[in-house]
Amino acid sequence: MSTTTATTTREITFTAAAREALSEAMAADPRIFVVGEGIGPRGGNFNTTTGLYELYGPMRLRDTPIVERGFVGMCTGAAMTGSRPVVDFMFVDFILDAMGELINQVAKMQYMSSGRLKMPMVLRGCIGISGASATHHSGSYYPLFVNIPGLKVVLPSNAYDAKGLLTTALKGDDPVLFLEHKLVLNNKGHVPEESYSIPFGQAAVVREGTQATVVALSSMVKKVSDACDSLAKESISIELIDPRTVAPLDMDTVLQSVHKTGRLLIVDEAFGPCGVGAEISAQVTARGFDDLDAPIQRLNGVHTPTPYSPPLEAAVVPDVKQIVQAIRDLLAE
């Protein structure tokens, strides 16, 4: 399996690319099965398993009641005994009901067994603010999971990465949280027809630049890219980095970029306090302080429960205009 872009590509949506990765993995490995609410004949709330029930049947695509801790616990036992479960929890907010299982069992089992027991489990679902989904369906929460040793946390921002990263997740022996922002699900991108994978802990330099580095997470990658396009009309050159995974986190790529540009902005829809941006900022300060020509800046979503009102919802998420201004402010330092 190649880890680089193949030559034969077509444009498909993020969701179709991830679904293709799952289907190919299920065809190759009969130990993989999926559980979740509505992932059987209905194909999932976000079409994550559309068409797979007809291919693989009810034993491998098992609809569940609304009992997140129950089916996460069930899959923990299945993974310990040789199966490779995929938990499709629809919204990341729902998996919070299973935090006891995730932190005390899933994340710790390989350590507690001295590596004798593996934990090949993929936990996937949607994150982020959009569509007036209100505060119980709009969370991201990945900083919580990054804080837990034993978990891998993946934040694909485009169709190519969705397939490549999910392929890697489905072949590994570690528990992986594969978190898909609702705003990117229908975005199309070039995806090779050939099989490929993307290693965890390998950031993507989305665009090269010289005047400042911007690290953007998940749906913010597209918004920052649009902001960079706008600034490029004024000959402002910005380097954009997509970490792809936040556990593990590729700091070497960020540090190399900051060494070149001297300035850093981190753009993340998730809350600022104790967030991924704070971690990136701390590591750059510790390891690349002499490269900095200005203080590191962060732009986050507003630290508040997500409003239901569409205008208020829009007000708590960084937009392209705010990103452009944040970059201008950084360059003015």
Side-chain angles (χ1 to χ4, degrees):
M1 178 178 292
S2 172
T3 58
T4 58
T5 307
T7 55
T8 308
T9 62
R10 67 265 144 91
E11 279 207 347
I12 59 176
T13 66
F14 179 109
T15 297
R19 188 170 58 237
E20 193 169 89
L22 177 59
S23 184
E24 290 175 2
M26 292 183 75
D29 191 339
R31 296 174 298 171
I32 297 175
F33 67 92
V34 187
V35 303
E37 296 150 15
I39 55 86
R42 190 162 65 86
N45 197 58
F46 295 101
N47 298 314
T48 51
T49 56
T50 300
L52 301 189
Y53 184 86
E54 290 75 16
L55 290 174
Y56 303 110
M59 294 302 293
R60 297 184 67 192
L61 284 110
R62 177 66 67 170
D63 281 331
T64 67
I66 304 175
V67 284
E68 279 75 10
R69 182 160 192 170
F71 59 72
V72 170
M74 175 190 72
C75 288
T76 303
M80 290 166 59
T81 53
S83 293
R84 303 183 69 85
V86 176
V87 178
D88 190 324
F89 50 78
M90 198 182 302
F91 295 94
V92 72
D93 311 77
F94 298 169
I95 206 67
L96 300 179
D97 289 337
M99 287 295 276
E101 293 291 338
L102 284 172
I103 294 174
N104 280 323
Q105 305 301 332
V106 175
K108 296 177 180 176
M109 189 54 64
Q110 294 188 87
Y111 172 78
M112 293 299 292
S113 67
S114 297
R116 293 189 299 272
L117 297 174
K118 304 301 181 185
M119 191 49 60
M121 184 190 303
V122 176
L123 303 109
R124 69 177 299 195
C126 280
I127 61 173
I129 298 172
S130 75
S133 297
T135 196
H136 289 98
H137 299 78
S138 300
S140 288
Y141 305 119
Y142 40 83
L144 301 180
F145 301 118
V146 171
N147 190 249
I148 306 302
L151 299 177
K152 296 187 182 301
V153 184
V154 179
L155 299 176
S157 67
N158 58 78
Y160 175 80
D161 288 357
K163 182 174 182 181
L165 291 168
L166 187 56
T167 296
T168 299
L170 291 164
K171 286 184 172 294
D173 287 327
D174 300 309
V176 178
L177 283 138
F178 186 86
L179 304 177
E180 308 153 87
H181 199 289
K182 295 191 285 290
L183 281 179
V184 306
L185 297 180
N186 293 318
N187 291 353
K188 288 186 175 182
H190 291 285
V191 178
E193 294 181 3
E194 297 84 358
S195 295
Y196 66 97
S197 62
I198 298 173
F200 291 167
Q202 186 178 97
V205 179
V206 179
R207 65 190 295 156
E208 295 187 355
T210 59
Q211 292 177 258
T213 298
V214 180
V215 176
L217 280 69
S218 189
S219 67
M220 291 293 112
V221 174
K222 175 63 168 62
K223 291 186 178 183
V224 172
S225 183
D226 290 344
C228 291
D229 287 341
S230 176
L231 291 165
K233 296 174 184 177
E234 304 172 33
S235 298
I236 296 174
S237 175
I238 303 300
E239 186 144 296
L240 170 57
I241 295 176
D242 176 359
R244 288 174 164 166
T245 65
V246 287
L249 180 62
D250 178 7
M251 283 302 306
D252 288 341
T253 297
V254 176
L255 287 162
Q256 289 167 10
S257 180
V258 171
H259 179 73
K260 178 171 64 173
T261 68
R263 286 174 163 80
L264 175 62
L265 169 69
I266 305 119
V267 182
D268 185 5
E269 179 184 296
F271 304 137
C274 303
V276 175
E279 177 62 24
I280 293 172
S281 178
Q283 290 205 38
V284 171
T285 300
R287 299 171 57 189
F289 182 79
D290 290 341
D291 290 328
L292 292 169
D293 297 325
I296 298 169
Q297 300 296 328
R298 291 183 288 158
L299 178 61
N300 287 85
V302 178
H303 192 215
T304 183
T306 304
Y308 173 71
S309 159
L312 291 177
E313 179 190 69
V316 303
V317 182
D319 60 20
V320 173
K321 182 178 179 181
Q322 290 172 307
I323 294 167
V324 167
Q325 187 59 51
I327 293 173
R328 291 189 189 280
D329 292 344
L330 178 62
L331 294 174
E333 286 283 351

